[in-house]
Amino acid sequence: MTTISSSRSARLTGAAAEYQRANVLAASELFDAEHYAAWSGLTDASPFQLALHYLREGAHRGFSPHPFIEPLMFPGDVRHFLEAGLADAALRYLHSPDSTAHAWSPIFQPVEGVDPWEQLQRMQPDDRLPVPADFVGVAPTWAEARASIIQSGHRLALAARRRMAPVRSDWDDTAEAAWIARVEAERMSPVEQPLVSIIMPVWNRSTEVLHAIDSVRAQTHANWELLIVDDGSTDDTLQVVREAASADSRIIPVGVEHGGVCRARNAGIDHARGRYVAFLDSDNRWTPRFLELSLAGFGDEALGVYAALRITEADGTTRYRGGQVDFEDLLVENGIDMNSLVLHRSTLAEVGPFDEALKRWVDYDLVLRIAARGTLRYLPFVGCEYSNVGSADRITMKEPFTWRFRVAEKALIDWEREQAKPRPLAASVVVVMHEQGNRTIAHIDEVLRTTPDDCEVVLVDNASSAYVARVTDARYAANPRVRIRRAPRPVTTALAMNLGFAESQGRVVVFLDNHVELRRSWLEPILATLEADPDLIGVQPLITDATGTIESAGYVFTLPDARPVPFLKGHPPQDARRAPAVLSAVSGAAFAVRANAYQQARGLDALYRGDLATVDFCLRAAAGAENAFRRVDDSVAVQHPNPAIAKRITPFETVDNRLFLDRWSRNLPGAQLDRYEALGFDTVFLRPDGDLAGAATPVLVRRPTESTSTEVAPALRWAIKIGADYTRGGDGWGDIPFAEDLAAALTRHGQEVVIDRRHAFKRPTTYLDEVVLTIRGFHRAEPQPGAINVLWVISRPELVTFDEVRGYDLVFAASPKWAAWMSERTGVDVHVMLQATNPDRFHPADDSVDRSGEVLFVGGPRITEGGRRVVLDALAVDAPLALWGPRWGLVAPPERVRGEFLPFDEVPAAYRSASIVLNDHMPSMAEWGFVNNRTIDAIAAGTPVVSDEVEGLDEFEGAARSYHDLDELRTLLTDHRWVPDAQRMREISERVRSLHSFDARAQELLDEVLVVRRGRHGDVVR
C-alpha cells in the first residue's frame, strides 16, 4: 500500500499537493484506471492524468475510483477520503472490520472475519462476488461484473458527449475567413450554377416577407427559384408577394388553403425544379454568400449541408449556433435549423415530405429522418440571420412543447417492426426511472422476487445521473431477466414507457411507476384475468396510497365533457371490492396491457406529460368497446409520493387537459355516477379537484337504509380500525385475518363493513361510516363524532386509559378480570367478549391427516421485546419445534425454522397437522387474563395448546395447559396423557367453534349497537 508521510504532505500546498495526491492515488490499488477511463471518457489518458481528473472533476460528478466501490454507500468521513483521493486513509478503512457493516456497492458486500480489502484483492476472475443480502438472482463473477461496469461506463460516457450544436456569444471571423479561402482555393473553375429551389412558407407576414425576399435576391449564387407559398393569409401578404414576383421572374407565388407550415412547404416541394432545395422562413434572412458557399461545401457523400446561425433575441442580444452533429446528437437536441440547410432534392424524395400530422417541431422531424440515412455536413460560416423577436406569435409556438417528443419517438421506435417482433415471454414489467436509483433497485428487486422466470424487467433510465446509471447497471449486469434502455435525454413519461415497450419481449406488458410498491402475489391475478377474458385489452391492480386508502380504482367520468377522476380515491379498499370492476380507463401508475393491443394503438401519446396519457390510450385502444379494461382487486399496488415527478408534471396539467379535451370533447363515455350509486352512494354535488385541472370530484352521501321491522336489522356501514401498519411487515400481523373474519361475519348479518389500518384512521371518507369499531391493541383510535363508537380491547390493556374508555358508546374486553376492574374504575359497563375464531377455516382434521409430532409455533420472535419466553423455554428442553415467522434464524437452530412467513390461509392446516401448538401472551395480557386467539384457533382446529400462565384457560376444558417451569414444560411436551382423547377434542372444538365464532361476536356487537342506535333515533331506524 502506497502512503505519503504526514510531514511531507503538510509541506505541499496548492497544485503540488494535488499532483502528489494524484500520484499516490494512481499508484494505489484503490484506483482502477481502466474503469475510470471508461466512465470519464478519457480513454487515451495516463493513470496519473486519470487520477488528476478524478480529483479535479470526476469525484464531484459522482464518478467512482473503483468498479466495486460506490462512495455514496460509505460513511461521510470515508466518502470524503474517497472523493478527496486520500488513498491511504480510505484504504485503512477498507482494511478495517468496520467496512463489513455495509455494502461497498450494489453488488459487493465483504464477508465478516476476513480483511475486507484483501478479500477483494485476492478474488480470481471466476470467483463470484459476495453480494448484499437483498441481492436477487445469481451473484456475478468478479470478471463479469467488472467487464459489465466498464462497458456501461463506455456507453454512458459516449452518451454524455452527445450534445446540440454549440451556442456561443461571439464568432471567430478569422476562422470563418480561413475556411472560405480554403473552399475557394479548392473550387474548380468554371463554377457550375445548379438551380436551387427555395421554399418560403408565409402566413400573414406582409411586412417581414420583403426583407426575406431581399436576402434571396442578394445571393451571389443567382440560379435560384423562390417558391413563396402563401398559407391562406388573411392580410395583404399574397398581394405583396405577387408584386415582388412581377419584378423578378425567379419569384413564384403559390397559393394554398390555410393548412399549416408542413402543408405549405410540401406544396413548395411539389413545385420545385432545382437539383437542390433550401428553406427560408419569412422572418429570417440569408447572408449574401449562403447559397454559393453551401453548394461549394457539399462534397460527394453529404446528403445536405448546413451553416451557422446568427440569432437575434427579443432583448437585442446576439448568439451564434453551429457545429457538427450526427443522428445520435440530434436525438438529444436539434442542432440543425431549416433556414441554414441545403439538401439534394433527391434526398427529399427518399425520406419523404414534411409530416403534416405534426403541429410543431416539423423541421426536427425531417432533419432526424435525413440524419438517420447519412451525413449532414456542417459548414463553419454564418449563413442565416435568425430572428427570435416575436417568436411567440408563430403558429407552431402555440402548440405544446411536447411535440418534440412525438418527433423523437418516430426516430426511436419502429411501430411496424414491433408488430412483427416475436414475444416469447409471458410478461414484461416496464419501470421508468429518473434518478432515485436506490428506490428503483429496491422496486425492481421486489418485482424479480415476486414474478416467475418467464417474466422480465425492462428498466428505462430517463436520463438519470452517472451515479444512478452506474449502480443500476452494476446491480443487474449479470441478471438475464433485466434489460436496461436509456433515453437520450429527459423525455415525457409516456415516451419513456413506449421505449420500454419497444425493448420488451412479453406478450403482456406491465407498466409500473418506480414509486409503486407491490404486494405479494400481485402478478398472478393480473395474468389470470387477462387469460380468462380474451376481449380484455388491459387491467390495473387496486392502487392504494401508503396508508392503505384507495389512490385509484381506475378512472371514472363525472361530467359529459371533462377529464376523469380516480375512482373511489380516499375510500377504503373494501369499497372497491364491492364496486363494478369494468373501467373506461386505467391508472398509469400500474397497469398491464396485451402487447398486440398496445402496438396497434401505437402506445401512449408522447404529447402528454401526466396520467392523461394513459386515459387517452385506453380510449383509443378500446375504440368504443365497453369491457376493454378492468380492475383486479386481488392484485394490490401501493403508490408512494413522488415529489420529483409531481414537480415536473403538475405545472403542465392545464396543457394536458386542453390537449385531452380538444381531442376527445363530445366523444367521452359520459357521466358514470351510477358506479357510485351501485355502492349505495348518492352524489350531492361535484367539486373542482384541487390536483387535476378541469376535473370534478363527486361529494358523496350514503343512501339511507330504512327498516320499520324490529326483526330486520338496518344495513349500517361499519369501519373496523386495527393497529397494523399498511406495510409488508404489517401484512403479517394477526390483526389482519382477525378483522377480515369479523368483517365477513358482520357482512353475513347484512352489514356493510370496511377496514382501516392505523394510518388510515382519519381517511377523508370517514364521514360515511355509521359505526366505528376499534379493535384495540397497540394503537389508539379517536372516537368519530356522529358515529356509534365501539371499543373492543383484545390486547395491550396497559395502554388503555380511563378517558379513552369513557369516550366510547360501547366497550368490550376479551378478559373478565380486566372488564370488571375497568367497569369499577370508570363507571362504564364494559362487556366481556373473548376473542374469536373462524370455524370455516379452523376445524378438526379428518382421520386421514397424520399429525407430524412437531410442536408448532407461528409468530415472530419479538427480539426487541426480550424474545418469546415460551419458545426459548421449548428450545431449552429440546422440544421438536417447528417455527414459522420472520427472523427466527437469528435465535433458533436452522433445523427448527420452517420459513419466514406462513400465509394465513395455510395456518389452519399447519395447526391440524401439529401435535401441540405452542402459545404465549404479552406480559400485560397474561397478567389481566386476555386469552389470545391463537389459543382459540388451535383448539378449534382440534389441536391442544401449551401456553404460558394466563387466567382463563379453564374455558377450554383441558385442551389448553400452562406451565410453571422447564420441567413441567418438558413433561407437557413429551407426555401427552393430559391431552383429551380424539372424541373429547372434537367435542371441545365444536363447543369453541359455536360459542367463540366470529358470527357469534358479530351478532352480539350488532345487537348492542342497535340498542344504542334506537336510543338515539327511536324504533324506526334510518
Side-chain angles (χ1 to χ4, degrees), residues 797 800 802 815-827 830 928:
V800 182
F802 297 158
S815 161
K817 179 180 178 180
W818 189 87
W821 178 82
M822 185 58 75
S823 296
E824 181 182 346
R825 293 298 190 278
T826 62
V830 180
W928 286 100

Side-chain angles (χ1 to χ4, degrees), residues 103-367:
W104 292 9
S105 81
I107 55 173
F108 183 79
Q109 179 158 7
V111 297
E112 298 179 1
V114 182
D115 182 305
W117 183 250
E118 292 298 327
Q119 180 185 154
L120 179 59
Q121 293 302 104
R122 292 198 195 104
M123 292 195 75
Q124 298 301 306
D126 292 336
D127 290 345
R128 297 203 175 274
L129 293 175
V131 293
D134 60 354
F135 187 87
V136 180
V138 178
T141 66
W142 181 93
E144 286 174 340
R146 181 176 180 274
S148 178
I149 294 170
I150 289 174
Q151 183 181 16
S152 296
H154 284 301
R155 185 172 62 250
L156 289 165
L158 178 62
R161 290 197 295 271
R162 299 296 180 189
R163 56 181 175 83
M164 70 176 292
V167 176
R168 51 185 78 85
S169 59
D170 56 3
W171 184 253
D172 191 337
D173 293 313
T174 302
E176 176 182 311
W179 179 83
I180 293 174
R182 189 163 59 252
V183 169
E184 291 176 333
E186 294 173 355
R187 187 163 51 188
M188 298 180 63
S189 183
V191 178
E192 184 184 4
Q193 290 276 318
L195 178 64
V196 179
S197 296
I198 304 164
I199 313 298
M200 182 185 292
V202 62
W203 182 68
N204 290 347
R205 292 274 179 170
S206 60
T207 303
E208 294 89 343
V209 70
L210 290 176
H211 298 294
I213 292 172
D214 288 344
S215 78
V216 175
R217 297 182 69 184
Q219 290 297 300
T220 55
H221 179 93
N223 190 15
W224 49 261
E225 60 176 1
L226 176 57
L227 297 156
I228 304 179
V229 185
D230 181 75
D231 187 27
S233 293
T234 57
D235 64 0
D236 61 344
T237 296
L238 184 56
Q239 181 61 31
V240 170
V241 171
R242 284 172 176 166
E243 291 174 0
S246 66
D248 192 327
S249 61
R250 294 173 298 178
I251 300 173
I252 304 170
V254 178
V256 295
E257 292 184 2
H258 184 59
V261 67
C262 284
R263 185 178 299 176
R265 282 178 176 165
N266 286 340
I269 293 170
D270 290 341
H271 286 77
R273 298 177 296 114
R275 185 192 307 175
Y276 298 97
V277 177
F279 301 89
L280 182 63
D281 291 339
S282 59
D283 49 358
N284 297 316
R285 290 173 294 158
W286 281 337
T287 56
R289 299 187 71 183
F290 171 68
L291 289 179
E292 173 198 349
L293 294 175
S294 294
L295 298 181
F298 240 99
D300 296 329
E301 298 179 359
L303 300 179
V305 296
Y306 60 99
L309 302 176
R310 180 160 38 229
I311 304 169
T312 301
E313 301 291 356
D315 61 1
T317 59
T318 299
R319 297 181 300 130
Y320 298 85
R321 190 178 83 183
Q324 183 63 53
V325 292
D326 60 17
F327 176 72
E328 298 294 335
D329 294 320
L330 289 166
L331 289 175
V332 176
E333 190 70 69
N334 184 17
I336 301 176
D337 191 274
M338 293 299 298
N339 291 275
S340 68
L341 178 65
V342 180
L343 299 168
H344 285 287
R345 186 155 62 95
S346 59
T347 298
L348 280 174
E350 291 175 6
V351 302
F354 287 90
D355 186 346
E356 296 183 17
L358 300 174
K359 297 183 179 180
R360 192 174 175 185
W361 295 89
V362 295
D363 302 0
Y364 186 29
D365 172 62
L366 183 66
V367 167

